[in-house]
Amino acid sequence: MIIRYLGDSELAQVRRRRWRKVFYVIDDDLMRLDDDRSVPEDYRQRLLAFRQKRLPDILDLADVIVAPNERILEGYPSKKGERLDPCYVTVCDDLRHFDDYQTIRILFPGSRSHLNDLAFLQEGLLRLSAAHTELEIVTYMGANAPVRLKGMEQIQHRKPLPWAAFQKEQQRERFHICLMPTVATPFNQARSINKLFDCAAVGAVGVFSRGGPTDGVIADGVDGLLVDHDVMAWEKAVGFLIDDMARAKTMAQACLDKAGLCGNPVRVRDFWRKQLDI
């Protein structure tokens, strides 16, 4: 099983043996990057270099492509494709933080590849911060955060963390609202539903883009909010939750339940048991 990327030594190791079947697990849409400049350019160039120099070697070995989105699988028409949604790592076990919301904590969990999505929200976040002094907004953009959002007392831009460290921090942190817009770009349209699990990990109600990866998973107004691509609509949606934290708590609980249903690790385990005949 090859997961995402492969270095020279790993490639040599895979080539030294004869395998009954090789699976390639990929969660980025590498095939639509030529005309999609929505992600940071240095990141885009790294992905393009990988696609040109190393992906052909991996595809020579791979029998099956496993991805969380059909759009990714469409990029490999000569290979057998299997759709597999991710599972959660952890789900918040209580919502006691909703008992005290003198400070309302809002999380933007996106990595640097979501910088364009955060930039879309910036004017709304500035207005919300000015109108609601009880807000504390956290991102993991560090120095990469949009300039307009830097130096704001209510907005923390923590340094980006490796995935494992980010997961551990999520287990310790609690938030009330989680914002995950996905601007309608080819790269974003091929993303997975993993941001649902970020919301559940920190015990928050999620606000997602209508038409994004969580369409068909999130029931609008029940276990999250789906919002049109309009910053004023996002500002209004967040304001709605701020003004009714009892409703927000109910929706956060429903979000935990939805994550537990959609992200059950047993489903992923059973998928691989079937694929590997074990």
Side-chain angles (χ1 to χ4, degrees):
M1 187 187 304
I2 302 171
I3 300 178
R4 301 190 80 187
Y5 310 118
L6 204 63
D8 292 337
S9 61
E10 292 90 355
L11 179 62
Q13 183 177 2
V14 173
R15 282 174 165 168
R16 279 197 294 268
R17 291 186 55 180
R18 183 180 297 275
W19 306 92
R20 181 164 58 90
K21 187 179 289 186
V22 175
F23 296 87
Y24 180 42
V25 183
I26 179 71
D27 63 350
D28 285 327
D29 189 354
L30 303 175
M31 301 306 174
R32 292 183 171 90
L33 282 170
D34 298 276
D35 301 317
D36 188 347
R37 299 181 180 273
S38 63
V39 295
E41 185 60 19
D42 60 334
Y43 178 66
R44 175 176 168 272
Q45 289 299 327
R46 287 199 302 273
L47 292 180
L48 287 172
F50 168 80
R51 189 185 75 180
Q52 179 181 356
K53 298 175 182 178
R54 181 47 47 85
L55 184 61
D57 297 324
I58 293 175
L59 295 180
D60 282 344
L61 295 165
D63 302 292
V64 182
I65 308 297
V66 180
N69 192 299
E70 293 292 342
R71 291 173 68 90
I72 297 176
L73 296 176
E74 290 170 3
Y76 307 92
S78 65
K79 299 289 184 179
K80 180 181 179 182
E82 293 285 352
R83 163 79 181 271
L84 176 64
D85 284 324
C87 65
Y88 62 76
V89 175
T90 183
V91 172
C92 174
D93 56 4
D94 68 73
L95 295 177
R96 284 178 293 178
H97 55 293
F98 275 91
D99 296 337
D100 179 10
Y101 44 86
Q102 291 184 5
T103 298
I104 297 177
R105 307 192 72 212
I106 298 178
L107 175 66
F108 180 90
S111 64
R112 187 164 171 255
S113 71
H114 286 279
L115 182 57
N116 197 41
D117 301 318
L118 179 58
F120 157 71
L121 279 183
Q122 62 182 339
E123 296 301 327
L125 293 179
L126 290 171
R127 287 191 293 266
L128 285 165
S129 298
H132 299 276
T133 57
E134 73 273 25
L135 296 187
E136 177 185 311
I137 301 170
V138 174
T139 83
Y140 284 86
M141 290 293 176
N144 301 305
V147 173
R148 294 285 314 278
L149 297 181
K150 291 182 177 179
M152 303 294 296
E153 183 178 351
Q154 294 167 258
I155 306 178
Q156 301 177 28
H157 299 293
R158 299 179 184 176
K159 67 178 182 180
L161 295 174
W163 187 82
F166 179 63
Q167 295 298 317
K168 288 182 179 179
E169 185 153 320
Q170 283 188 319
Q171 294 178 34
R172 298 190 300 267
E173 292 276 10
R174 291 294 177 264
F175 290 87
H176 301 97
I177 301 169
C178 187
L179 305 179
M180 201 57 254
T182 44
V183 177
T185 67
F187 196 80
N188 271 349
Q189 291 300 310
R191 291 188 186 270
S192 74
I193 62 171
N194 69 316
K195 295 307 175 193
L196 164 63
F197 307 135
D198 286 341
C199 298
V202 299
V205 55
V207 187
F208 306 92
S209 288
R210 193 182 308 277
T214 55
D215 264 24
V217 176
I218 294 297
D220 185 29
V222 178
D223 46 29
L225 293 179
L226 297 174
V227 185
D228 292 332
H229 186 66
D230 176 88
V231 68
M232 295 294 289
W234 278 79
E235 187 178 342
K236 182 178 179 180
V238 176
F240 164 76
L241 295 172
I242 292 171
D243 291 339
D244 192 349
M245 292 300 287
R247 175 76 179 274
K249 181 179 181 180
T250 298
M251 293 170 66
Q253 181 60 62
C255 178
L256 300 186
D257 297 340
K258 179 61 66 71
L261 178 66
C262 296
N264 192 332
V266 173
R267 170 183 54 79
V268 177
R269 181 200 64 188
D270 290 346
F271 170 87
W272 286 113
R273 280 184 170 177
K274 180 180 179 182
Q275 295 296 322
L276 300 174
D277 296 323
I278 58 175

